[in-house]
Amino acid sequence: MRCRLRVLMAEKEITQIQLRESLGLGSNTISKLYNNRFDRVDRETIEKLCDYFGVEIGDLFTLKDEE
């Protein structure tokens, strides 16, 4: 599974710091998702990210590398 956070952030032209401040997520959480080095993701984190970017879960996570 891959997280498309890097792509979504680039499209919105925001930094990890800006995202952290906007959503109140931890730096480690954002970094792990951004670099695809996560084992599991909290449901609340997924909901916050989907709401923030205006996407569905399938737009945030993919089963194969599409980048």
Side-chain angles (χ1 to χ4, degrees), residues 3-4 6-7 13 15-16 18 27 29 34 41-42 44-45 47 54-55 57 59:
C3 183
R4 296 186 65 245
R6 180 185 301 258
V7 173
E13 297 181 350
T15 65
Q16 290 185 39
Q18 291 169 318
S27 298
T29 299
Y34 186 87
V41 184
D42 183 71
E44 183 179 336
T45 299
E47 290 173 352
V55 298
I57 192 169
D59 300 317

Side-chain angles (χ1 to χ4, degrees), residues 19-60:
L19 185 62
R20 181 187 78 217
E21 291 173 352
S22 294
L23 298 181
L25 297 173
S27 298
N28 198 33
T29 299
I30 293 172
S31 178
K32 284 183 177 184
L33 292 169
Y34 186 87
N35 293 300
N36 283 295
R37 296 183 185 264
F38 60 94
D39 293 318
R40 59 183 66 115
V41 184
D42 183 71
R43 177 182 167 186
E44 183 179 336
T45 299
I46 294 171
E47 290 173 352
K48 284 182 179 183
L49 290 168
C50 286
D51 287 344
Y52 182 82
F53 289 105
V55 298
E56 298 292 325
I57 192 169
D59 300 317
L60 181 60

